[in-house]
Amino acid sequence: MDPPNYAEGQFEQLRLNLAQAMGLTEQEAVAQLTTLWRQRNPPAQQNGPPAAPPQPPNNLPAPAAPPNLAVPAERKKGVPEIQENVYQSTSRIPDPSDHALRRLRNYEYVELWYFTPKGCEVAASHAVTLEADTFTITKADSNLTLLPSRTSAVPKGHIIQDQHLSFSDMSIAKNNLIPHMTKCHWPPQL
């Protein structure tokens, strides 16, 4: 690997500082910087033990000490690790009614209205939660299934058929429907 071209404008301040500190010309400062770079970045050796790190020449000022980096203390048990630079969504996917999710799990047709913000809002306002140990019997195909009794009785008058939805409602509903299809384990290509 070749050293940087210390004669370029981006290294001007470095050259001037070195030339002033050591009483050199700018060309001598460029040569000194190139020599130092080659000493600190030797070509990779194929055989033998790695070379000892080179020592700076005695006539150069000592390099500045690296900033004191805090050594992380041992983590206590139960304290979650903070992950930096991880994106967290600031929006939440609204939940449609249980009826719509049940139909989605059974690969049945579900109106897109259930996945619009208005449909999710109506489903939340009509959701009735019963005791945790209360179940209802539901028929799916020829099987009977017990389901928890959190029911969502959305009045039929509120549901808007797909052909009557606006384009923006359809776009929003599609963006809400696709993650719910993934949650309900739909295959990627159906």
Side-chain angles (χ1 to χ4, degrees):
M1 186 155 91
D2 294 325
N5 184 1
Y6 289 107
E8 292 180 351
Q10 65 186 9
F11 298 106
E12 181 178 359
Q13 191 62 44
L14 179 65
R15 285 191 315 265
L16 293 175
N17 289 346
L18 182 63
Q20 184 181 16
M22 297 184 65
L24 303 172
T25 64
E26 278 197 48
Q27 286 76 21
E28 291 172 334
V30 168
Q32 185 70 28
L33 288 168
T34 304
T35 303
L36 283 172
W37 187 92
R38 285 194 173 123
Q39 287 176 351
R40 292 183 180 188
N41 300 296
Q45 296 179 357
Q46 297 293 331
N47 299 331
Q55 299 297 322
N58 292 337
N59 59 354
L60 284 180
N68 186 9
L69 300 175
V71 178
E74 288 187 33
R75 288 181 358 113
K76 294 181 180 178
K77 289 184 180 179
V79 177
E81 183 176 333
I82 296 174
Q83 297 178 353
E84 295 180 12
N85 300 325
V86 175
Y87 174 76
Q88 285 291 344
S89 175
T90 56
S91 62
R92 183 182 167 281
I93 298 173
D95 291 327
S97 70
D98 287 338
H99 168 73
L101 291 176
R102 186 172 30 260
R103 291 185 66 131
L104 199 60
R105 276 191 292 275
N106 292 333
Y107 302 105
E108 296 175 8
Y109 172 75
V110 182
E111 289 85 1
L112 281 174
W113 176 84
Y114 284 104
F115 297 93
T116 64
K118 183 67 177 171
C120 294
E121 179 184 318
V122 169
S125 67
H126 287 87
V128 178
T129 304
L130 301 174
E131 294 294 325
D133 58 352
T134 305
F135 292 91
T136 57
I137 298 174
T138 303
K139 183 176 181 182
D141 297 327
S142 62
N143 300 324
L144 293 177
T145 308
L146 288 175
L147 293 173
S149 290
R150 182 180 182 272
T151 60
S152 177
V154 177
K156 293 288 183 191
H158 283 27
I159 299 172
I160 300 173
Q161 298 298 315
D162 291 350
Q163 66 267 22
H164 299 296
L165 287 175
S166 68
F167 180 76
S168 63
D169 282 341
M170 288 185 75
S171 298
I172 293 169
K174 174 210 41 126
N175 291 338
N176 192 6
L177 172 65
I178 292 172
H180 281 94
M181 290 171 73
T182 304
K183 288 179 185 177
C184 290
H185 307 291
W186 277 51
Q189 297 172 344
L190 190 67

